[in-house]
């Protein structure tokens, strides 16, 4: 029976992985659209530049309201100050298309935690695009007759691997984990919007070569809070591939957004509806009755759509 189930899973993945390049942009018209991008920082290496160009070109048709930047905007050892040249090579110059001169709402990834996390926060006062009021924060949007609440959370301090490594991540252990979890619970309790999306850097459920304890810590600490409330999607980055997972007992779509630079191999695990090693970004589209997250590869193909309906 298990062999049959896995065969059906692979057949489903094969069917849903058929690529369809966007030619009809009417699917985005008169709707609330925004980008989701993460793991962008490689100093322009790998696929970062062509993906940035594609985001800008597609933006001319889609008209994204803003960019959700789900961590690791700057790789290697992280940003050191607001004058660090990484800001220019990884962000200001590469993502310079006029259609990307919109608000970028970021969260900290583990690579930011290798540097000066306060400098990442302070860059809000330097860049007219960087809009990061705190390590974790929330904002409600009302566009095109639809309301969307996005909750940006700071996942590194929720994971013992980062909290306990005080040399590599000296700032993570200083953060009040219980305070953030209580804040998330309170925000979700009060959320009344049509759609609720929680954005973190680290995955709760996904196939990854990373340390399993990263996921188990979030499964034990974060996921029980999310499941208590009306959360439509949990979107993250970190592991450099696309994944869409649904877990038994949860009504949440767990989404991994692929890297804007270097991508990695991936395989399906329990609950996997789609996975792909392609690099890229995502377009999220909301109406009063539908919420669609389209995974876009570096050639502009729609690889998979995570779709929710009222």
């Amino acid at each position: 029976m298990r062999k049959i189930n896995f065969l059906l899973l692979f057949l489903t993945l094969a069917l849903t992985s058929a690529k369809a390049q966007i030619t009809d942009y009417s699917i985005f018209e008169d709707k609330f659209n925004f980008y989701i991008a993460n793991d962008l920082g490689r100093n322009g290496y790998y696929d970062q530049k062509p993906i940035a160009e594609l985001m800008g070109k597609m933006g001319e048709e889609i008209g994204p309201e803003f960019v959700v930047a789900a961590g690791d905007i700057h790789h290697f050892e992280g940003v050191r100050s607001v004058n660090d040249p990484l800001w220019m090579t990884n962000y200001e110059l590469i993502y310079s298309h006029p259609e990307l001169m919109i608000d970028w709402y970021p969260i900290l990834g583990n690579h930011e935690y290798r540097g000066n996390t306060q400098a990442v926060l302070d860059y809000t006062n330097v860049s007219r695009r960087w809009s990061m009021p705190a390590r974790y924060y929330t904002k409600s949007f009302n566009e095109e007759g639809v309301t969307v609440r996005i909750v940006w959370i700071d996942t590194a301090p929720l994971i013992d691997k980062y909290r306990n490594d005080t040399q590599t991540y000296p700032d993570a252990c200083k953060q009040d984990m219980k305070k953030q979890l209580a804040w998330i619970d309170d925000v979700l309790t009060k959320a009344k919007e049509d759609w609720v999306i929680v954005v973190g850097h680290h995955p709760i459920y996904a196939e990854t070569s990373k340390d399993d304890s990263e996921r188990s810590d979030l499964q034990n600490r974060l996921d029980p809070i999310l499941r208590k409330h009306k959360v439509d999607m949990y979107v993250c980055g970190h592991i450099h591939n696309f994944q869409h997972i649904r877990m038994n007992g949860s009504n949440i779509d767990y989404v991994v957004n692929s890297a804007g630079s270097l991508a990695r191999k991936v395989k399906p695990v329990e609950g996997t509806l789609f996975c792909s090693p392609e690099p890229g970004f995502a377009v999220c589209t909301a109406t009063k009755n539908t919420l669609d997250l389209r995974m876009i590869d570096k050639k502009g193909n729609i690889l998979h759509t995570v779709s929710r309906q009222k």
Side-chain angles (χ1 to χ4, degrees), residues 22-46:
I22 299 176
T23 56
D24 181 9
Y25 284 92
S26 65
I27 57 177
F28 301 104
E29 290 180 0
D30 300 322
K31 296 174 183 176
F32 177 30
N33 303 305
F34 58 91
Y35 280 150
I36 300 176
N38 51 267
D39 293 278
L40 307 176
R42 288 280 179 175
N43 285 42
Y45 297 164
Y46 304 108

PDB file of all heavy atoms in Angstrom, residues 22-46:
ATOM      1  N   ILE A  22       4.269  32.304 -18.598  1.00  0.00           N
ATOM      2  CA  ILE A  22       3.220  33.318 -18.541  1.00  0.00           C
ATOM      3  C   ILE A  22       3.175  34.071 -19.859  1.00  0.00           C
ATOM      4  O   ILE A  22       4.148  34.687 -20.284  1.00  0.00           O
ATOM      5  CB  ILE A  22       3.481  34.304 -17.386  1.00  0.00           C
ATOM      6  CG1 ILE A  22       3.493  33.578 -16.052  1.00  0.00           C
ATOM      7  CG2 ILE A  22       2.406  35.395 -17.378  1.00  0.00           C
ATOM      8  CD1 ILE A  22       3.841  34.455 -14.879  1.00  0.00           C
ATOM      9  N   THR A  23       2.037  33.999 -20.515  1.00  0.00           N
ATOM     10  CA  THR A  23       1.810  34.783 -21.730  1.00  0.00           C
ATOM     11  C   THR A  23       0.570  35.661 -21.588  1.00  0.00           C
ATOM     12  O   THR A  23       0.448  36.682 -22.256  1.00  0.00           O
ATOM     13  CB  THR A  23       1.636  33.860 -22.963  1.00  0.00           C
ATOM     14  OG1 THR A  23       0.573  32.929 -22.706  1.00  0.00           O
ATOM     15  CG2 THR A  23       2.915  33.089 -23.242  1.00  0.00           C
ATOM     16  N   ASP A  24      -0.343  35.243 -20.724  1.00  0.00           N
ATOM     17  CA  ASP A  24      -1.572  35.994 -20.495  1.00  0.00           C
ATOM     18  C   ASP A  24      -1.520  36.621 -19.107  1.00  0.00           C
ATOM     19  O   ASP A  24      -1.721  35.951 -18.100  1.00  0.00           O
ATOM     20  CB  ASP A  24      -2.781  35.055 -20.614  1.00  0.00           C
ATOM     21  CG  ASP A  24      -4.097  35.786 -20.399  1.00  0.00           C
ATOM     22  OD1 ASP A  24      -4.083  37.039 -20.327  1.00  0.00           O
ATOM     23  OD2 ASP A  24      -5.140  35.113 -20.293  1.00  0.00           O
ATOM     24  N   TYR A  25      -1.232  37.912 -19.077  1.00  0.00           N
ATOM     25  CA  TYR A  25      -1.105  38.608 -17.800  1.00  0.00           C
ATOM     26  C   TYR A  25      -2.443  39.086 -17.255  1.00  0.00           C
ATOM     27  O   TYR A  25      -2.485  39.725 -16.206  1.00  0.00           O
ATOM     28  CB  TYR A  25      -0.138  39.778 -17.942  1.00  0.00           C
ATOM     29  CG  TYR A  25       1.309  39.352 -17.977  1.00  0.00           C
ATOM     30  CD1 TYR A  25       1.951  39.086 -19.180  1.00  0.00           C
ATOM     31  CD2 TYR A  25       2.031  39.210 -16.801  1.00  0.00           C
ATOM     32  CE1 TYR A  25       3.283  38.691 -19.211  1.00  0.00           C
ATOM     33  CE2 TYR A  25       3.356  38.812 -16.819  1.00  0.00           C
ATOM     34  CZ  TYR A  25       3.975  38.557 -18.028  1.00  0.00           C
ATOM     35  OH  TYR A  25       5.296  38.160 -18.053  1.00  0.00           O
ATOM     36  N   SER A  26      -3.536  38.759 -17.951  1.00  0.00           N
ATOM     37  CA  SER A  26      -4.854  39.165 -17.462  1.00  0.00           C
ATOM     38  C   SER A  26      -5.207  38.479 -16.141  1.00  0.00           C
ATOM     39  O   SER A  26      -6.091  38.946 -15.419  1.00  0.00           O
ATOM     40  CB  SER A  26      -5.935  38.867 -18.508  1.00  0.00           C
ATOM     41  OG  SER A  26      -6.064  37.466 -18.728  1.00  0.00           O
ATOM     42  N   ILE A  27      -4.514  37.376 -15.825  1.00  0.00           N
ATOM     43  CA  ILE A  27      -4.784  36.679 -14.566  1.00  0.00           C
ATOM     44  C   ILE A  27      -4.401  37.541 -13.363  1.00  0.00           C
ATOM     45  O   ILE A  27      -4.809  37.248 -12.234  1.00  0.00           O
ATOM     46  CB  ILE A  27      -4.039  35.330 -14.493  1.00  0.00           C
ATOM     47  CG1 ILE A  27      -2.531  35.526 -14.664  1.00  0.00           C
ATOM     48  CG2 ILE A  27      -4.569  34.358 -15.529  1.00  0.00           C
ATOM     49  CD1 ILE A  27      -1.716  34.251 -14.522  1.00  0.00           C
ATOM     50  N   PHE A  28      -3.636  38.610 -13.608  1.00  0.00           N
ATOM     51  CA  PHE A  28      -3.215  39.491 -12.524  1.00  0.00           C
ATOM     52  C   PHE A  28      -3.976  40.818 -12.506  1.00  0.00           C
ATOM     53  O   PHE A  28      -3.800  41.613 -11.578  1.00  0.00           O
ATOM     54  CB  PHE A  28      -1.715  39.796 -12.645  1.00  0.00           C
ATOM     55  CG  PHE A  28      -0.833  38.576 -12.607  1.00  0.00           C
ATOM     56  CD1 PHE A  28      -0.257  38.074 -13.765  1.00  0.00           C
ATOM     57  CD2 PHE A  28      -0.579  37.922 -11.407  1.00  0.00           C
ATOM     58  CE1 PHE A  28       0.549  36.950 -13.741  1.00  0.00           C
ATOM     59  CE2 PHE A  28       0.225  36.792 -11.362  1.00  0.00           C
ATOM     60  CZ  PHE A  28       0.790  36.305 -12.534  1.00  0.00           C
ATOM     61  N   GLU A  29      -4.810  41.064 -13.511  1.00  0.00           N
ATOM     62  CA  GLU A  29      -5.476  42.353 -13.637  1.00  0.00           C
ATOM     63  C   GLU A  29      -6.529  42.554 -12.553  1.00  0.00           C
ATOM     64  O   GLU A  29      -7.267  41.627 -12.212  1.00  0.00           O
ATOM     65  CB  GLU A  29      -6.116  42.495 -15.023  1.00  0.00           C
ATOM     66  CG  GLU A  29      -5.110  42.644 -16.155  1.00  0.00           C
ATOM     67  CD  GLU A  29      -5.784  42.775 -17.507  1.00  0.00           C
ATOM     68  OE1 GLU A  29      -7.035  42.755 -17.548  1.00  0.00           O
ATOM     69  OE2 GLU A  29      -5.067  42.884 -18.520  1.00  0.00           O
ATOM     70  N   ASP A  30      -6.589  43.784 -12.048  1.00  0.00           N
ATOM     71  CA  ASP A  30      -7.589  44.169 -11.046  1.00  0.00           C
ATOM     72  C   ASP A  30      -7.544  43.256  -9.828  1.00  0.00           C
ATOM     73  O   ASP A  30      -8.578  42.937  -9.231  1.00  0.00           O
ATOM     74  CB  ASP A  30      -8.997  44.161 -11.652  1.00  0.00           C
ATOM     75  CG  ASP A  30      -9.126  45.128 -12.819  1.00  0.00           C
ATOM     76  OD1 ASP A  30      -8.542  46.219 -12.748  1.00  0.00           O
ATOM     77  OD2 ASP A  30      -9.797  44.766 -13.812  1.00  0.00           O
ATOM     78  N   LYS A  31      -6.337  42.834  -9.454  1.00  0.00           N
ATOM     79  CA  LYS A  31      -6.144  41.993  -8.286  1.00  0.00           C
ATOM     80  C   LYS A  31      -4.995  42.557  -7.457  1.00  0.00           C
ATOM     81  O   LYS A  31      -4.181  43.351  -7.946  1.00  0.00           O
ATOM     82  CB  LYS A  31      -5.854  40.545  -8.699  1.00  0.00           C
ATOM     83  CG  LYS A  31      -7.026  39.890  -9.425  1.00  0.00           C
ATOM     84  CD  LYS A  31      -6.673  38.505  -9.948  1.00  0.00           C
ATOM     85  CE  LYS A  31      -7.833  37.910 -10.735  1.00  0.00           C
ATOM     86  NZ  LYS A  31      -7.488  36.607 -11.338  1.00  0.00           N
ATOM     87  N   PHE A  32      -4.911  42.140  -6.236  1.00  0.00           N
ATOM     88  CA  PHE A  32      -3.860  42.576  -5.327  1.00  0.00           C
ATOM     89  C   PHE A  32      -2.668  41.641  -5.502  1.00  0.00           C
ATOM     90  O   PHE A  32      -2.733  40.463  -5.146  1.00  0.00           O
ATOM     91  CB  PHE A  32      -4.393  42.546  -3.896  1.00  0.00           C
ATOM     92  CG  PHE A  32      -3.392  42.915  -2.841  1.00  0.00           C
ATOM     93  CD1 PHE A  32      -2.354  43.795  -3.106  1.00  0.00           C
ATOM     94  CD2 PHE A  32      -3.496  42.393  -1.560  1.00  0.00           C
ATOM     95  CE1 PHE A  32      -1.438  44.141  -2.126  1.00  0.00           C
ATOM     96  CE2 PHE A  32      -2.586  42.731  -0.571  1.00  0.00           C
ATOM     97  CZ  PHE A  32      -1.556  43.599  -0.856  1.00  0.00           C
ATOM     98  N   ASN A  33      -1.570  42.155  -6.070  1.00  0.00           N
ATOM     99  CA  ASN A  33      -0.395  41.342  -6.387  1.00  0.00           C
ATOM    100  C   ASN A  33       0.832  41.823  -5.613  1.00  0.00           C
ATOM    101  O   ASN A  33       1.052  43.020  -5.457  1.00  0.00           O
ATOM    102  CB  ASN A  33      -0.070  41.422  -7.880  1.00  0.00           C
ATOM    103  CG  ASN A  33      -1.239  41.001  -8.753  1.00  0.00           C
ATOM    104  OD1 ASN A  33      -1.775  39.910  -8.618  1.00  0.00           O
ATOM    105  ND2 ASN A  33      -1.647  41.884  -9.656  1.00  0.00           N
ATOM    106  N   PHE A  34       1.627  40.876  -5.148  1.00  0.00           N
ATOM    107  CA  PHE A  34       2.914  41.219  -4.557  1.00  0.00           C
ATOM    108  C   PHE A  34       3.895  40.068  -4.768  1.00  0.00           C
ATOM    109  O   PHE A  34       3.501  38.922  -5.002  1.00  0.00           O
ATOM    110  CB  PHE A  34       2.791  41.586  -3.075  1.00  0.00           C
ATOM    111  CG  PHE A  34       2.196  40.512  -2.195  1.00  0.00           C
ATOM    112  CD1 PHE A  34       3.002  39.580  -1.556  1.00  0.00           C
ATOM    113  CD2 PHE A  34       0.829  40.447  -1.995  1.00  0.00           C
ATOM    114  CE1 PHE A  34       2.456  38.592  -0.743  1.00  0.00           C
ATOM    115  CE2 PHE A  34       0.265  39.464  -1.173  1.00  0.00           C
ATOM    116  CZ  PHE A  34       1.083  38.539  -0.545  1.00  0.00           C
ATOM    117  N   TYR A  35       5.179  40.398  -4.706  1.00  0.00           N
ATOM    118  CA  TYR A  35       6.242  39.417  -4.900  1.00  0.00           C
ATOM    119  C   TYR A  35       6.683  38.821  -3.557  1.00  0.00           C
ATOM    120  O   TYR A  35       6.601  39.469  -2.512  1.00  0.00           O
ATOM    121  CB  TYR A  35       7.469  40.073  -5.529  1.00  0.00           C
ATOM    122  CG  TYR A  35       7.403  40.289  -7.018  1.00  0.00           C
ATOM    123  CD1 TYR A  35       8.087  41.352  -7.607  1.00  0.00           C
ATOM    124  CD2 TYR A  35       6.693  39.439  -7.852  1.00  0.00           C
ATOM    125  CE1 TYR A  35       8.065  41.555  -8.983  1.00  0.00           C
ATOM    126  CE2 TYR A  35       6.657  39.640  -9.222  1.00  0.00           C
ATOM    127  CZ  TYR A  35       7.341  40.695  -9.777  1.00  0.00           C
ATOM    128  OH  TYR A  35       7.318  40.890 -11.136  1.00  0.00           O
ATOM    129  N   ILE A  36       7.189  37.590  -3.633  1.00  0.00           N
ATOM    130  CA  ILE A  36       7.886  36.974  -2.512  1.00  0.00           C
ATOM    131  C   ILE A  36       9.239  36.509  -3.025  1.00  0.00           C
ATOM    132  O   ILE A  36       9.315  35.784  -4.017  1.00  0.00           O
ATOM    133  CB  ILE A  36       7.100  35.790  -1.917  1.00  0.00           C
ATOM    134  CG1 ILE A  36       5.727  36.263  -1.416  1.00  0.00           C
ATOM    135  CG2 ILE A  36       7.892  35.138  -0.782  1.00  0.00           C
ATOM    136  CD1 ILE A  36       4.847  35.144  -0.909  1.00  0.00           C
ATOM    137  N   ALA A  37      10.297  36.956  -2.368  1.00  0.00           N
ATOM    138  CA  ALA A  37      11.652  36.597  -2.794  1.00  0.00           C
ATOM    139  C   ALA A  37      12.516  36.397  -1.559  1.00  0.00           C
ATOM    140  O   ALA A  37      12.268  36.987  -0.510  1.00  0.00           O
ATOM    141  CB  ALA A  37      12.247  37.689  -3.685  1.00  0.00           C
ATOM    142  N   ASN A  38      13.508  35.561  -1.657  1.00  0.00           N
ATOM    143  CA  ASN A  38      14.399  35.308  -0.524  1.00  0.00           C
ATOM    144  C   ASN A  38      15.715  34.720  -1.010  1.00  0.00           C
ATOM    145  O   ASN A  38      15.860  34.364  -2.183  1.00  0.00           O
ATOM    146  CB  ASN A  38      13.745  34.367   0.495  1.00  0.00           C
ATOM    147  CG  ASN A  38      13.199  33.111  -0.125  1.00  0.00           C
ATOM    148  OD1 ASN A  38      12.023  33.085  -0.472  1.00  0.00           O
ATOM    149  ND2 ASN A  38      14.008  32.078  -0.293  1.00  0.00           N
ATOM    150  N   ASP A  39      16.663  34.619  -0.097  1.00  0.00           N
ATOM    151  CA  ASP A  39      17.982  34.077  -0.420  1.00  0.00           C
ATOM    152  C   ASP A  39      18.527  34.738  -1.683  1.00  0.00           C
ATOM    153  O   ASP A  39      18.954  34.082  -2.625  1.00  0.00           O
ATOM    154  CB  ASP A  39      17.900  32.561  -0.571  1.00  0.00           C
ATOM    155  CG  ASP A  39      17.579  31.880   0.741  1.00  0.00           C
ATOM    156  OD1 ASP A  39      18.496  31.670   1.534  1.00  0.00           O
ATOM    157  OD2 ASP A  39      16.393  31.573   0.976  1.00  0.00           O
ATOM    158  N   LEU A  40      18.494  36.053  -1.672  1.00  0.00           N
ATOM    159  CA  LEU A  40      18.875  36.825  -2.852  1.00  0.00           C
ATOM    160  C   LEU A  40      20.363  37.128  -2.881  1.00  0.00           C
ATOM    161  O   LEU A  40      20.926  37.401  -3.926  1.00  0.00           O
ATOM    162  CB  LEU A  40      18.103  38.150  -2.871  1.00  0.00           C
ATOM    163  CG  LEU A  40      16.580  38.048  -2.751  1.00  0.00           C
ATOM    164  CD1 LEU A  40      15.972  39.439  -2.694  1.00  0.00           C
ATOM    165  CD2 LEU A  40      16.005  37.263  -3.908  1.00  0.00           C
ATOM    166  N   GLY A  41      20.995  37.130  -1.719  1.00  0.00           N
ATOM    167  CA  GLY A  41      22.336  37.680  -1.628  1.00  0.00           C
ATOM    168  C   GLY A  41      23.449  36.733  -2.024  1.00  0.00           C
ATOM    169  O   GLY A  41      23.834  35.872  -1.252  1.00  0.00           O
ATOM    170  N   ARG A  42      23.967  36.874  -3.199  1.00  0.00           N
ATOM    171  CA  ARG A  42      25.151  36.138  -3.630  1.00  0.00           C
ATOM    172  C   ARG A  42      26.072  37.066  -4.406  1.00  0.00           C
ATOM    173  O   ARG A  42      26.788  36.633  -5.300  1.00  0.00           O
ATOM    174  CB  ARG A  42      24.750  34.950  -4.514  1.00  0.00           C
ATOM    175  CG  ARG A  42      24.079  33.820  -3.743  1.00  0.00           C
ATOM    176  CD  ARG A  42      25.101  32.949  -3.034  1.00  0.00           C
ATOM    177  NE  ARG A  42      24.467  31.876  -2.280  1.00  0.00           N
ATOM    178  CZ  ARG A  42      25.118  30.911  -1.652  1.00  0.00           C
ATOM    179  NH1 ARG A  42      26.432  30.895  -1.676  1.00  0.00           N
ATOM    180  NH2 ARG A  42      24.492  29.984  -0.975  1.00  0.00           N
ATOM    181  N   ASN A  43      26.008  38.345  -4.106  1.00  0.00           N
ATOM    182  CA  ASN A  43      26.829  39.327  -4.824  1.00  0.00           C
ATOM    183  C   ASN A  43      26.633  39.259  -6.333  1.00  0.00           C
ATOM    184  O   ASN A  43      27.561  39.482  -7.106  1.00  0.00           O
ATOM    185  CB  ASN A  43      28.320  39.140  -4.494  1.00  0.00           C
ATOM    186  CG  ASN A  43      28.658  39.648  -3.108  1.00  0.00           C
ATOM    187  OD1 ASN A  43      27.912  39.434  -2.168  1.00  0.00           O
ATOM    188  ND2 ASN A  43      29.777  40.331  -2.992  1.00  0.00           N
ATOM    189  N   GLY A  44      25.406  38.944  -6.753  1.00  0.00           N
ATOM    190  CA  GLY A  44      25.100  38.878  -8.167  1.00  0.00           C
ATOM    191  C   GLY A  44      25.465  37.565  -8.820  1.00  0.00           C
ATOM    192  O   GLY A  44      25.340  37.420 -10.036  1.00  0.00           O
ATOM    193  N   TYR A  45      25.949  36.586  -8.045  1.00  0.00           N
ATOM    194  CA  TYR A  45      26.374  35.315  -8.618  1.00  0.00           C
ATOM    195  C   TYR A  45      25.178  34.451  -8.998  1.00  0.00           C
ATOM    196  O   TYR A  45      24.040  34.728  -8.666  1.00  0.00           O
ATOM    197  CB  TYR A  45      27.238  34.541  -7.623  1.00  0.00           C
ATOM    198  CG  TYR A  45      28.537  35.195  -7.239  1.00  0.00           C
ATOM    199  CD1 TYR A  45      29.238  34.764  -6.116  1.00  0.00           C
ATOM    200  CD2 TYR A  45      29.074  36.250  -7.976  1.00  0.00           C
ATOM    201  CE1 TYR A  45      30.439  35.358  -5.733  1.00  0.00           C
ATOM    202  CE2 TYR A  45      30.270  36.843  -7.608  1.00  0.00           C
ATOM    203  CZ  TYR A  45      30.944  36.400  -6.489  1.00  0.00           C
ATOM    204  OH  TYR A  45      32.126  36.987  -6.122  1.00  0.00           O
ATOM    205  N   TYR A  46      25.476  33.358  -9.688  1.00  0.00           N
ATOM    206  CA  TYR A  46      24.489  32.354 -10.076  1.00  0.00           C
ATOM    207  C   TYR A  46      23.356  33.012 -10.868  1.00  0.00           C
ATOM    208  O   TYR A  46      23.609  33.696 -11.836  1.00  0.00           O
ATOM    209  CB  TYR A  46      23.990  31.594  -8.851  1.00  0.00           C
ATOM    210  CG  TYR A  46      25.106  30.938  -8.058  1.00  0.00           C
ATOM    211  CD1 TYR A  46      25.489  31.434  -6.819  1.00  0.00           C
ATOM    212  CD2 TYR A  46      25.807  29.853  -8.565  1.00  0.00           C
ATOM    213  CE1 TYR A  46      26.529  30.857  -6.094  1.00  0.00           C
ATOM    214  CE2 TYR A  46      26.846  29.263  -7.855  1.00  0.00           C
ATOM    215  CZ  TYR A  46      27.200  29.769  -6.616  1.00  0.00           C
ATOM    216  OH  TYR A  46      28.225  29.208  -5.921  1.00  0.00           O
TER     217      TYR A  46
END
